[in-house]
Amino acid sequence: MTAPVPSARFLIVGPQGSGKGTQGVLVAEAFGVPQVATGDIFRENVKGGTELGKKVQAIIEAGDLVSDELTSELVRDRLEQPDAAGGFVLDGYPRNRGQVDDLDAFLASRGEALDAVIELSVPREESIARLRQRALDQGRTDDTEEVIANRLAIYERETAPILEVYRERGIVDEVDGVGTLEEVTERIFEALAARGLSVRHNGGNGAAA
Ligand code: ADP
C-alpha cells in the first residue's frame, strides 16, 4: 500500500490590497507547493510581449476581467504541471462564478477538490490606502485611482459572492488581514492547522504526524 499523498490545495481570496499575494507566496513556500497567481502570469506575458500578453494588455490596464475561457485554460495548463500535483495556492483565480464552475470541473475530473479557502479580510479604506502606497512603490499600470476603483467594484460585485459558494462547503477560513505581515501569516497557519492541514517540513507529511 502506498502512503496517502498529502494534499494542500488552497485558494486565497481577498480584495486588492489585502496582502493576498504576499501571504500566498509564504503559504505556498511553507507547504512546498507552487503559488499560482493569474495576475502575475498575465503581467509576465504582457512584459514578454507574447500572444497572450497582447490579447490581455488593454483589459488589464482597464482593470477589467480577462475572459473566463482564456483564464481557466491558462490555470488548467498551469495546474497540470508536475509541480502542482500535490497542491497549489491559487491567488486571483477563481474570481467569479463561472471560474468557480470551471475550476470545480477541472479538479473533479482529476478526483481532486480544494482543501481550504483563506479569506483575507481588510476594510475598504485600508486596502485603498495600501494600493495607493503600492502605486508609489511599484508603479503598476493598473494602480491608478480610476482603475483601482474599477477593480474593487468588480471584486465586490463578482468575487466576494464566490465565498458564499465555498462557505456552503465548509472550507472557508476568514482571517483578519490587518496586522503585521508575520501576524497575518501566523493566523493563516493556525486556521489551516485547525483543519488538520499542517506545514510540511522537508517534504515530510506534517498532517499525518
Ligand atoms: P488585483 O487582485 O490587485 O486586481 P491581480 O494581479 O490579481 O491584481 O490581477 C491583475 C489583473 O489581471 C486583473 O485586474 C485582471 O485584468 C487580470 N486577472 C487576474 N486574474 C484574473 C481572473 N481570474 N480572471 C480574469 N482576469 C484576471
Side-chain angles (χ1 to χ4, degrees), residues 109-203:
S109 75
R110 292 158 54 102
E112 297 168 2
L114 289 177
D115 296 302
V117 176
I118 301 149
E119 174 187 4
L120 265 192
S121 12
V122 170
R124 199 187 161 106
E125 309 74 59
E126 169 86 12
S127 55
I128 291 175
R130 290 186 190 175
L131 286 172
R132 288 205 180 112
Q133 189 56 47
R134 187 174 78 188
L136 296 175
D137 296 344
Q138 299 177 10
R140 244 174 72 169
T141 53
D142 61 350
D143 276 346
T144 63
E145 288 286 327
E146 196 190 347
V147 176
I148 286 173
N150 188 34
R151 284 155 57 218
L152 282 169
I154 293 176
Y155 179 81
E156 277 161 25
R157 192 175 66 233
E158 299 196 39
T159 309
I162 72 170
L163 285 162
E164 290 313 312
V165 177
Y166 292 125
R167 222 166 249 133
E168 278 169 22
R169 297 182 196 172
I171 57 172
V172 177
D173 287 315
E174 187 179 348
V175 171
D176 179 2
V178 181
T180 65
L181 197 149
E182 292 78 14
E183 280 164 356
V184 177
T185 309
E186 198 44 46
R187 287 176 201 146
I188 294 173
F189 286 145
E190 272 171 24
L192 294 176
R195 290 185 181 275
L197 299 162
S198 302
V199 174
R200 269 183 261 155
H201 295 287
N202 305 321

Side-chain angles (χ1 to χ4, degrees), residues 46 53-64:
V46 170
K54 286 178 198 153
K55 274 190 208 161
V56 303
Q57 182 163 14
I59 301 170
I60 288 175
E61 286 176 359
D64 292 327

Side-chain angles (χ1 to χ4, degrees), residues 35-112:
Q35 182 230 21
V36 176
T38 42
D40 289 348
I41 301 174
F42 286 138
R43 272 187 296 279
E44 278 161 25
N45 277 274
V46 170
K47 214 169 143 197
T50 66
E51 279 309 307
L52 174 67
K54 286 178 198 153
K55 274 190 208 161
V56 303
Q57 182 163 14
I59 301 170
I60 288 175
E61 286 176 359
D64 292 327
L65 294 189
V66 175
S67 74
D68 291 353
E69 203 185 354
L70 204 61
T71 310
S72 291
E73 191 189 326
L74 179 89
V75 172
R76 282 192 295 267
D77 284 351
R78 180 63 190 86
L79 297 186
E80 276 168 355
Q81 301 303 309
D83 66 332
F88 46 76
V89 176
L90 276 174
D91 165 3
Y93 179 94
R95 232 182 243 255
N96 60 24
R97 190 55 215 253
Q99 294 180 7
V100 168
D101 294 343
D102 288 347
L103 179 65
D104 278 346
F106 172 76
L107 292 176
S109 75
R110 292 158 54 102
E112 297 168 2

